[in-house]
Amino acid sequence: MRGCMGTVKPRHKWLYHEIVDNAIFAAFEDNRFVPLMEGELDDIILKVETVSKPEKISTLNDLDPDRYG
């Protein structure tokens, strides 16, 4: 993984604006990773996930990173 970004609640009216903003941040501004370089564009795989309403949990043990990331 080279970058990861998302929001819990939308900041824009349209989903595609959210995707574009988050993709740009993940590729170039996520300081946990080296920014994406032009020479890497042919080799990258983009993944976009959307989620529905948040689910309530009872304890932190309910958070499964294999399922929820």
Side-chain angles (χ1 to χ4, degrees):
M1 178 166 49
R2 289 291 301 276
C4 179
M5 179 59 188
T7 55
V8 176
K9 292 186 177 188
R11 295 173 296 163
H12 301 284
K13 180 178 179 179
W14 301 103
L15 178 60
Y16 74 93
H17 288 151
E18 293 288 329
I19 292 170
V20 169
D21 281 358
N22 288 326
I24 291 169
F25 184 90
F28 304 110
E29 299 176 33
D30 187 340
N31 61 13
R32 299 172 295 170
F33 304 96
V34 176
L36 188 66
M37 303 295 288
E38 184 177 354
E40 299 174 284
L41 292 176
D42 289 338
D43 298 322
I44 64 168
I45 297 170
L46 300 175
K47 183 176 181 180
V48 175
E49 293 187 32
T50 60
V51 294
S52 57
K53 295 189 323 187
E55 299 175 25
K56 290 189 181 232
I57 61 169
S58 300
T59 70
L60 290 178
N61 291 332
D62 292 340
L63 296 177
D64 180 359
D66 292 329
R67 180 174 177 198
Y68 300 108

